[in-house]
């Protein structure tokens, strides 16, 4: 908790020390942080407008007075107008992609990042304390630091840094939520904690009283931070481009995991249809960066290199065309920002035009010379298209100069038409018109294709028009989703002092801790132990001191002499008992209400609905033998130690010294199960 608080007054910060958690700096004044602050303010205004509209609609349904209805309808029209204006402002923030781009001067088309989802503050302290007292029967004041740590971690996740540290912070909270859900959120009832998150695209608030919305929103923000890391990468270096590809692939993986894991989130930006589009958008942008990475060293005007680049460009144009088709479908069409859909259309046309330009350069600039590999060029040209135009064959086209030029100019005409369409689409969007670097890139590409066509244009070209065939898309590196790797983030359960999660969880019920005060009788503890953490009472002698004090077979030991034992193993419990010597033992135990499920089937049988352990069966058999022979052998202790090397010992017990204890005279002394079981039968 202290890593999120300022140091005490008067103490200066040491070198490397920070007020806030690693991966969080809410005081950072960057363009992205100011952008996010504006988003938070708009979300508050949208929530207020939504509440007013809901109230007006409820009044409209309730009243029958025509005058009142007219007034409500008028007010409702004003509220709807305000709400529409606020949503348009939020859309303006969503499409402000330039603040997320790399600050260095780069001649690259902007990428689309996702904005972070905003949330309201939540105070979980009172309800968690009540649950600890009610469910775990523990003093909740002892867990104030753990609750404060959880609250601080949630607050830090509202302003994560746009780097790997911010990703780790969000993943830490997501994993911690899994522990919190198992500890404090029973599946049978609501805890009464309302988590409210705002839709990142519409700004509409959504609330739920369980952790599903909280966990899903954190996952969305992890994906959003990955997109912002990708957009800010330096795309003028190979390392920066590799980082950008990795970031967008990881963003796609996180969003796809969100889509498959949380299928019924009420927030529209996390609906399966919207997440499917967002995953496609991340993969398309990763594919675009792969093209940039291949072309970064420069594109040589060489036959085979140009074939490769034409197919790579066609691949980028294809994935953007598919993305634009998905964005144009219901129900996502209404809530996708207009500039996103427009930019996707612009990129689809732009990269398809580049593919045709490269194909034209192949045909016009490279004649088949005697020393060239004729078979290899024929194979490459045949693979460049799905099918050649009517009347053309790959080898004949390579050898015929006029056919090459004619087909090349058809590609140039197609490139010019696609470039003009991309320029036109960008000019129709006000936001894209203001992105100077985008306008410059589109203009330069269009002029380059037009210049090359003008160099080979002839007066009779209109008589020899042919349609340029589509370029076959192909890539040397397919953009793929990278699943989130939560296992790499080491997280410690804040509330591990409550005990092992397998037993001490919200979906299990047990009795309040019972205090068992007992003594060791003639070196016999009266029971054995089994299990991991926590340790269970096993093979309980019904006439031993512990059983008479209230211990039951299957009880979990939670403390001995006020020392917490919930995380101790069998050997550690034994060592503790051994250290007590002849002292009276005070042990606290709990019993699961569903006792049947807590015991292992291997060591128990059931008769007429009553539990009868294997040790009790052996005791009954031994009693019969005693009655018949009238001989009583000396009882071997459950827990004893000494120099007798021939004495058999259980792997799950240690030994204690003999202590003289007087048993009730009216009770028949039962022999120890360990006098009847060999070593193998006692190891379950």
């Amino acid at each position: 908790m202290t890593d999120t608080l300022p140091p005490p007054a008067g103490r200066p910060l040491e070198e490397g020390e920070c007020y806030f958690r690693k991966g969080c700096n809410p005081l950072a004044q960057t363009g992205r942080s100011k952008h996010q602050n504006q988003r938070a303010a708009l979300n508050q205004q949208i929530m207020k407008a939504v509440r007013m509209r809901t109230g007006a609609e409820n009044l409209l349904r309730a009243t029958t007075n025509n005058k009142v209805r007219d007034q409500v309808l008028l007010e409702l029209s004003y509220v709807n107008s305000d709400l529409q204006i606020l949503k348009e402002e939020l859309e303006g923030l969503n499409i402000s992609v330039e603040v997320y781009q790399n600050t260095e001067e780069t001649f690259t088309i902007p990428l689309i990042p996702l904005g972070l989802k905003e949330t309201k503050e939540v105070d979980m302290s009172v309800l968690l304390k009540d649950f600890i007292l009610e469910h775990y029967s523990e003093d909740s004041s002892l867990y104030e630091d753990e609750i404060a740590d959880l609250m601080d971690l949630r607050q830090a996740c509202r302003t994560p840094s746009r780097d790997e540290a911010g990703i780790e912070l969000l993943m830490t909270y997501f994993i911690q939520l899994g522990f919190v859900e198992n500890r404090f959120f029973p599946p049978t009832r609501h805890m009464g904690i309302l988590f409210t998150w705002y839709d990142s695209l519409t700004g509409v608030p959504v609330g739920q009283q369980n952790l599903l919305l909280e966990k899903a929103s954190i996952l969305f923000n992890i994906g959003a931070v990955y997109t912002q890391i990708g957009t800010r990468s330096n795309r003028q270096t190979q390392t920066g481009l590799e980082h950008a590809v990795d970031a967008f692939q990881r963003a796609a993986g996180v969003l796809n995991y969100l889509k498959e894991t949380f299928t019924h989130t009420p927030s529209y930006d996390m609906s399966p249809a919207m997440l499917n589009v967002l995953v496609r958008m991340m993969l398309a942008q990763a594919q675009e960066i792969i093209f940039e990475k291949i072309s970064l060293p420069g594109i040589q005007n060489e036959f085979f290199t140009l074939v490769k680049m034409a197919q790579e460009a066609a691949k980028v144009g294809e994935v953007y065309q598919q993305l634009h088709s998905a964005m144009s479908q219901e129900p996502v069409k209404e809530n996708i920002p207009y500039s996103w859909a427009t930019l996707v259309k612009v990129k689809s046309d732009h990269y398809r035009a580049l593919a045709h330009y490269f194909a034209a350069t192949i045909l016009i600039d490279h004649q088949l010379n005697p020393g060239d590999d004729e078979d290899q060029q024929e194979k490459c040209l045949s693979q460049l298209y799905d099918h050649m135009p009517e009347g053309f064959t790959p080898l004949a086209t390579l050898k015929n100069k006029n056919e090459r030029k004619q087909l090349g100019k058809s590609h140039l005409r197609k490139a010019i038409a696609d470039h003009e369409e991309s320029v036109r689409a960008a000019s129709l969007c006000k936001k894209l018109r203001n992105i100077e670097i985008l306008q410059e890139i589109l203009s330069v590409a269009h002029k380059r294709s037009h210049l090359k066509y003008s160099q080979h244009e002839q007066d009779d070209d209109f008589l020899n028009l042919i349609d340029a065939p589509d370029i076959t898309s192909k890539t040397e590196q397919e953009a793929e989703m990278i699943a989130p790797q939560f296992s790499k983030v080491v997280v410690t359960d804040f509330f591990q002092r409550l005990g092992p999660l397998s037993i001490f969880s919200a979906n299990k019920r047990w009795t309040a801790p019972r205090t068992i005060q007992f003594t060791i009788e003639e070196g016999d503890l009266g029971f054995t132990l089994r299990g991991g953490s926590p340790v269970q009472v096993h093979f309980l002698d019904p006439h031993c001191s512990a059983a008479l004090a209230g211990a039951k077979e299957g009880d979990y030991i939670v403390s001995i002499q006020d020392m917490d034992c919930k995380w101790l193993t069998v050997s550690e419990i034994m060592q503790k008992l051994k250290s007590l010597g002849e002292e009276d033992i005070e042990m606290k135990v709990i019993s699961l209400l569903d006792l049947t499920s807590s015991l292992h089937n291997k060591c128990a049988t059931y008769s007429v609905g009553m539990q009868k352990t294997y040790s009790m069966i052996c005791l009954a058999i031994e009693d019969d033998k005693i009655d018949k022979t009238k001989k009583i052998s000396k009882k071997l202790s459950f827990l004893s130690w000494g120099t007798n090397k021939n004495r058999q010992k259980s792997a799950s017990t240690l030994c204690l010294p003999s202590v003289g204890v007087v048993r009730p005279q009216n009770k028949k002394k039962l022999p120890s199960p360990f006098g009847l079981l060999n070593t193998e039968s006692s190891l379950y």
Side-chain angles (χ1 to χ4, degrees):
M1 180 179 67
T2 55
D3 59 351
T4 64
L5 299 177
R11 182 176 75 81
L13 281 174
E14 298 178 1
E15 184 178 357
E17 188 178 1
C18 180
Y19 287 159
F20 308 105
R21 287 183 180 270
K22 181 181 179 182
C24 165
N25 188 0
L27 301 182
Q29 294 298 318
T30 63
R32 292 182 300 277
S33 63
K34 294 177 181 177
H35 190 272
Q36 202 65 32
N37 290 336
Q38 295 176 15
R39 178 191 296 272
L42 276 176
N43 284 333
Q44 293 291 336
Q45 296 179 45
I46 290 175
M47 183 178 68
K48 182 179 178 181
V50 168
R51 288 176 176 174
M52 293 179 63
R53 183 178 67 179
T54 302
E57 290 174 346
N58 291 338
L59 179 59
L60 189 63
R61 286 192 292 267
T63 185
T64 57
N65 189 307
N66 291 332
K67 185 176 181 180
V68 174
R69 290 179 62 86
D70 291 340
Q71 292 178 346
V72 172
L73 287 173
L74 181 60
E75 292 295 333
L76 191 59
S77 65
Y78 291 148
V79 172
N80 285 330
S81 298
D82 292 341
L83 189 59
Q84 184 63 32
I85 293 174
L86 291 173
K87 288 185 176 181
E88 289 177 359
E89 292 182 22
L90 181 61
E91 181 180 349
L93 291 180
N94 287 329
I95 63 181
S96 298
V97 298
E98 63 274 6
V99 300
Y100 295 100
Q101 309 302 315
N102 189 274
T103 55
E104 299 180 7
E105 292 293 334
T106 58
F107 196 70
T108 53
I109 299 179
L111 300 169
I112 302 175
L114 296 178
L116 299 181
K117 290 175 68 69
E118 291 290 336
T119 182
K120 295 176 65 177
E121 292 188 6
V122 176
D123 185 4
M124 296 182 279
S125 58
V126 175
L127 291 173
L128 293 186
K129 286 182 179 179
D130 290 344
F131 193 84
I132 290 174
L133 180 62
E134 169 201 345
H135 188 79
Y136 294 98
S137 301
E138 294 203 26
D139 185 359
S140 58
S141 63
L142 300 177
Y143 291 87
E144 289 182 353
D145 286 346
E146 286 84 348
I147 295 174
D149 282 338
L150 179 64
M151 302 284 289
D152 290 341
L153 180 58
R154 186 181 192 275
Q155 184 65 22
C157 288
R158 298 180 67 182
T159 54
S161 56
R162 272 65 169 183
D163 52 24
E164 291 298 330
I167 294 291
E168 184 175 350
L169 175 70
L170 292 171
M171 284 190 172
T172 299
Y173 182 55
F174 177 78
I175 298 173
Q176 194 67 240
L177 286 175
F179 295 133
V180 172
E181 184 176 24
N182 288 325
R183 295 281 190 194
F184 301 106
F185 287 81
T188 56
R189 65 183 177 94
H190 292 301
M191 280 290 292
I193 303 176
L194 180 64
F195 297 96
T196 302
W197 287 83
Y198 297 91
D199 193 297
S200 66
L201 299 178
T202 64
V204 176
V206 175
Q208 276 190 347
Q209 289 190 4
N210 57 54
L211 283 180
L212 293 180
L213 178 62
E214 183 90 348
K215 294 168 71 175
S217 299
I218 291 297
L219 277 178
F220 185 93
N221 279 357
I222 292 174
V225 172
Y226 269 129
T227 66
Q228 296 178 16
I229 292 174
T231 55
R232 68 176 294 185
S233 299
N234 186 359
R235 291 154 67 189
Q236 297 301 306
T237 64
Q238 284 288 348
T239 302
L241 288 169
E242 290 173 359
H243 288 167
V245 171
D246 181 75
F248 280 108
Q249 290 183 138
R250 291 185 183 278
V254 171
L255 295 175
N256 186 68
Y257 177 82
L258 171 59
K259 180 186 69 173
E260 294 179 348
T261 308
F262 300 91
T263 56
H264 299 290
T265 51
S267 185
Y268 187 80
D269 55 355
M270 296 188 293
S271 64
M274 180 60 72
L275 288 174
N276 182 61
V277 170
L278 295 180
V279 169
R280 284 173 172 262
M281 185 169 71
M282 300 310 133
L283 292 178
Q285 295 188 123
Q287 196 68 53
E288 179 184 3
I289 301 170
I290 290 172
F291 173 83
E292 294 180 0
K293 187 175 69 171
I294 296 173
S295 59
L296 181 63
I299 302 174
Q300 298 180 357
N301 193 354
E302 189 266 333
F303 185 91
F304 299 107
T305 301
L306 291 173
V307 170
K308 174 184 175 181
M309 296 309 300
Q311 293 182 320
E312 289 283 352
K315 178 65 177 180
V316 179
E318 179 183 64
V319 294
Y320 272 118
Q321 184 179 16
Q322 294 171 353
L323 174 60
H324 185 260
S325 298
M327 286 181 168
S328 303
Q329 302 297 321
E330 297 292 346
V332 299
K333 179 179 180 180
E334 295 181 359
N335 291 308
I336 286 288
Y338 173 69
S339 66
W340 286 12
T342 304
L343 183 58
V344 167
K345 178 67 166 60
V346 167
K347 290 186 176 184
S348 173
D349 294 331
H350 173 72
Y351 283 101
R352 189 166 58 248
L354 287 183
H356 284 289
Y357 175 79
F358 291 137
T361 305
I362 293 169
L363 295 168
I364 294 176
D365 292 358
H366 296 279
Q367 304 298 325
L368 184 61
N369 298 318
D372 294 339
D373 190 340
E374 181 178 301
D375 293 338
Q376 189 65 22
Q377 287 196 14
E378 180 186 7
K379 180 180 178 181
C380 282
L381 187 62
S382 63
Q383 293 177 350
L384 189 62
Y385 310 115
D386 286 334
H387 60 276
M388 294 289 292
E390 186 178 354
F392 288 79
T393 60
L395 183 59
T397 302
L398 287 173
K399 292 182 177 181
N400 190 313
K401 181 178 180 180
N402 291 331
E403 286 188 5
R404 290 174 70 111
K405 182 176 290 189
Q406 184 181 8
L407 184 57
K409 286 193 291 184
S410 70
H411 280 295
L412 285 176
R413 285 193 293 267
K414 181 62 175 174
I416 292 172
D418 287 338
H419 279 309
E420 289 176 347
E421 180 60 25
S422 66
V423 172
R424 184 192 68 84
S427 65
L428 293 177
C429 179
K430 179 181 179 181
K431 193 64 184 179
L432 297 184
R433 284 201 305 267
N434 296 331
I435 303 178
E436 296 180 0
I437 187 66
L438 174 63
Q439 296 293 331
E440 186 176 356
I441 290 174
L442 298 179
S443 176
V444 168
H446 178 234
K447 290 179 180 178
R448 181 178 56 191
S449 296
H450 199 279
L451 176 62
K452 192 170 191 64
Y453 181 77
S454 64
Q455 292 173 351
H456 301 278
E457 185 179 13
Q458 297 178 356
D459 295 338
D460 59 346
D461 282 346
F462 69 95
L463 298 177
N464 301 312
L465 293 178
I466 60 174
D467 291 332
D470 292 333
I471 309 298
T472 302
S473 63
K474 185 179 179 181
T475 180
E476 65 179 22
Q477 180 183 348
E478 185 86 25
E480 298 179 347
M481 294 178 290
I482 299 179
Q485 299 173 333
F486 297 111
S487 60
K488 291 188 175 181
V489 182
V490 180
V491 179
T492 302
D493 182 6
F494 283 154
F495 299 92
Q496 63 177 347
R497 286 198 294 134
L498 290 172
L501 193 56
S502 59
I503 300 298
F504 298 93
S505 63
N507 60 355
K508 291 185 180 293
R509 300 289 299 180
W510 51 83
T511 61
R514 310 190 312 276
T515 301
I516 308 297
Q517 294 182 338
F518 64 99
T519 56
I520 301 170
E521 305 169 349
E522 300 178 358
D524 185 0
L525 188 60
F527 56 86
T528 59
L529 304 176
R530 69 173 303 157
S533 301
V535 172
Q536 280 184 284
V537 174
H538 190 50
F539 283 152
L540 179 67
D541 184 344
H543 301 299
C544 70
S545 176
L548 296 177
K552 300 177 182 178
E553 190 164 340
D555 281 349
Y556 290 95
I557 300 176
V558 296
S559 73
I560 297 176
Q561 305 294 80
D562 292 330
M563 184 187 77
D564 191 296
C565 299
K566 291 192 287 289
W567 284 99
L568 298 186
T569 61
V570 169
S571 61
E572 291 170 333
I573 293 286
M574 291 299 178
Q575 186 147 7
K576 175 62 178 176
L577 294 173
K578 178 180 176 179
S579 67
L580 295 177
E582 299 182 359
E583 298 179 17
D584 291 343
I585 300 174
E586 181 179 292
M587 182 172 69
K588 289 185 178 180
V589 298
I590 61 171
S591 300
L592 287 180
L593 295 181
D594 185 13
L595 186 59
T596 300
S597 64
S598 68
L599 296 178
H600 298 273
N601 294 330
K602 186 176 181 180
C603 62
T605 58
Y606 298 89
S607 176
V608 197
M610 299 298 292
Q611 181 187 22
K612 189 174 184 182
T613 65
Y614 182 62
S615 60
M616 295 296 101
I617 297 173
C618 295
L619 288 174
I621 295 173
E622 185 66 14
D623 286 341
D624 292 339
K625 292 181 179 179
I626 293 173
D627 292 338
K628 291 179 180 179
T629 61
K630 301 299 181 181
K631 295 180 181 179
I632 301 177
S633 60
K634 184 178 179 180
K635 178 176 177 289
L636 293 178
S637 64
F638 276 82
L639 299 174
S640 60
W641 69 76
T643 59
N644 187 358
K645 297 182 180 180
N646 295 327
R647 181 175 296 172
Q648 293 182 348
K649 298 178 181 179
S650 170
S652 63
T653 63
L654 293 176
C655 300
L656 292 174
S658 299
V659 178
V661 178
V662 179
R663 293 176 179 267
Q665 296 299 321
N666 58 343
K667 296 290 184 179
K668 184 178 179 180
K669 185 177 181 180
L670 295 176
S672 168
F674 276 99
L676 306 173
L677 299 178
N678 58 28
T679 304
E680 293 181 357
S681 64
S682 65
L683 296 178
Y684 284 94

